[in-house]
Amino acid sequence: MNKLLASLRYLTPKEQLSYLLAAIVISYQLIVGLYDLFYRYEVTFALLHFIFMTALIYFTLHYIKQREIHYSAYGVLGTSSLYFITLLYLNDFTPSSYFFPILLPIGSYLILSFKESTGFILLHYAAVTLVSLYGYLVLGVDSAAFAFIPLKIYLFIVIFIILFGMVYHLTISENYQMLFDANQKKALALSEIHHRIKNNLHVVSSMLSINKFGADQQALNSVMLGSSTRIEAISLIHKLLYRQKDFASIDFESYVDELSSYIFHYSDQPISLEKEIDPLQFSIKTMQHLGIILAELLTNSVKYAFSQTTAPKITISLKEEGDLLRFVYRDNGRGYDIKKLNHKNGLGSAFIKASTEYLNGEMHIECSNGLRYEIRLDPLLKTQRF
């Protein structure tokens, strides 16, 4: 059941429409079957409806779980063909009972290849013709469907459906496949680009870390840590893009987990991280600036905040509140002199201010009982959740 529910989360619009139609048909069969059973007392018709409904449920669930399109498609089409031909026989070959058997093959063109759908159509129409001949020649059924004009209409519709399938597969379907293949190649190339950028940035970050541990000067160590975390902040964006295969947006909470885990390795003591983050996604450009801000704040806390704190704790919050996004960063460290912090000209502070200005945000800083950064952002920065 869990696998089934997980599969439903990643349906394409075309699949969602298909499942909606399947649900409508299944519900219709249930209603008609109950009506035939309890009001018309037609047990044969009711049993036929229930069998067809059960088959549709089975093949739909099988596709959701296994993604075997051919098995499910042949199952649905074959069962539908038998169902409509049986109804045709039970309804004494009335003209209206030919409607669905004639139009059914259109569905095969939308699901199967031209060769496969053509094979199914020939078998289906052959079965419809043989059953009709049996009713006319053997059973002697006197139906208006066997007159000359209905037969001409029947033949015309069959030829039209076959021509439709040829046009569809030689034009629309072929062009769609070409566009799909081209898009797959572009996605693969873009994925490889993000992968290489991530690897190259990680190499640079590792080299800076090696230099840091080999240096004796405390100031140089601090510079190396700041530089490596800034590079890693950008590298993680490409890492997440490569991992999730969605190149349009990045999940903020996943990014916080990755970046904080990386920076906390530089701490001499364990740091507790508390998150209060709404499920929000951002574009690459927006995430780059948010990543720079977050990397600077985490790095400053690790380097300076917790020298006199027994249980270090950092809280990161991002909430959508009406017409704004409220980002709040807090630590329970020793705090700072607010006047000195506002006039601080360090590179990290400059990065935070520049990124906040780029995002058109408003920044507020408090230094009582630790450090608290609040940045108010425009909710239009967020992207739709995938």
Side-chain angles (χ1 to χ4, degrees), residues 117 205 226 259 337 371:
S117 55
S205 177
L259 185 61
D337 186 329
L371 179 67

Side-chain angles (χ1 to χ4, degrees), residues 11-26 60 63-64 69 110-111:
L11 298 179
T12 64
K14 186 176 181 180
E15 288 176 322
Q16 292 175 0
L17 178 60
S18 300
Y19 295 143
L20 177 61
L21 292 175
I24 293 174
V25 173
I26 290 170
T60 302
Y63 177 73
I64 294 176
I69 182 64
L110 302 178
I111 302 173

Side-chain angles (χ1 to χ4, degrees), residues 197-263:
I197 291 174
K198 184 264 296 183
N199 286 343
N200 291 338
L201 289 173
H202 185 69
V203 169
V204 176
S205 177
S206 299
M207 292 172 65
L208 289 173
S209 298
I210 293 173
N211 287 334
K212 169 186 177 298
F213 290 117
D216 295 328
Q217 299 93 337
Q218 185 176 359
L220 181 59
N221 287 347
S222 178
V223 171
M224 290 296 182
L225 174 58
S227 299
S228 64
T229 54
R230 289 165 194 146
I231 294 173
E232 190 67 21
I234 305 301
S235 174
L236 283 175
I237 293 175
H238 296 279
K239 177 182 178 180
L240 291 173
L241 287 171
Y242 175 76
R243 179 190 299 170
Q244 68 187 22
K245 307 300 182 185
D246 177 10
F247 306 122
S249 59
I250 303 167
D251 182 73
F252 184 76
E253 186 171 5
S254 299
Y255 182 81
V256 169
D257 291 337
E258 294 279 353
L259 185 61
S260 60
S261 177
Y262 173 80
I263 295 178

Side-chain angles (χ1 to χ4, degrees), residues 12-221:
T12 64
K14 186 176 181 180
E15 288 176 322
Q16 292 175 0
L17 178 60
S18 300
Y19 295 143
L20 177 61
L21 292 175
I24 293 174
V25 173
I26 290 170
S27 301
Y28 173 78
Q29 293 299 319
L30 177 61
I31 295 172
V32 173
L34 293 175
Y35 177 79
D36 285 341
L37 183 62
F38 294 106
Y39 289 92
R40 295 179 59 196
Y41 303 105
E42 296 283 355
V43 178
T44 303
F45 281 92
L47 183 61
L48 180 63
H49 293 312
F50 291 145
I51 292 175
F52 182 52
M53 179 188 69
T54 304
L56 286 180
I57 293 174
Y58 169 76
F59 289 116
T60 302
L61 293 179
H62 183 273
Y63 177 73
I64 294 176
K65 294 172 64 177
Q66 305 295 333
R67 287 294 193 271
E68 294 181 11
I69 182 64
H70 285 84
Y71 178 81
S72 299
Y74 279 123
V76 170
L77 292 171
T79 304
S80 300
S81 179
L82 291 174
Y83 169 74
F84 291 130
I85 291 174
T86 305
L87 280 180
L88 184 68
Y89 173 80
L90 294 176
N91 286 318
D92 293 329
F93 305 95
T94 58
S96 60
S97 61
Y98 278 91
F99 180 77
F100 287 109
I102 291 176
L103 296 183
L104 174 63
I106 294 178
S108 68
Y109 280 124
L110 302 178
I111 302 173
L112 303 173
S113 67
F114 178 73
K115 181 178 179 180
E116 293 170 332
S117 55
T118 301
F120 168 78
I121 287 173
L122 293 177
L123 289 174
H124 172 72
Y125 283 142
V128 172
T129 303
L130 288 174
V131 172
S132 299
L133 289 175
Y134 177 79
Y136 179 69
L137 299 176
V138 178
L139 300 180
V141 176
D142 184 15
S143 172
F146 297 147
F148 180 70
I149 293 179
L151 288 176
K152 285 200 305 183
I153 296 174
Y154 171 77
L155 183 61
F156 172 79
I157 295 175
V158 169
I159 295 175
F160 175 80
I161 290 175
I162 294 176
L163 291 176
F164 164 80
M166 294 177 62
V167 173
Y168 174 80
H169 277 279
L170 294 177
T171 57
I172 300 175
S173 182
E174 183 177 345
N175 291 335
Y176 171 81
Q177 190 62 41
M178 290 174 60
L179 291 173
F180 179 80
D181 293 340
N183 186 60
Q184 288 291 94
K185 292 179 181 178
K186 289 181 180 179
L188 183 61
L190 189 57
S191 175
E192 183 63 23
I193 289 172
H194 285 300
H195 185 57
R196 293 189 180 189
I197 291 174
K198 184 264 296 183
N199 286 343
N200 291 338
L201 289 173
H202 185 69
V203 169
V204 176
S205 177
S206 299
M207 292 172 65
L208 289 173
S209 298
I210 293 173
N211 287 334
K212 169 186 177 298
F213 290 117
D216 295 328
Q217 299 93 337
Q218 185 176 359
L220 181 59
N221 287 347

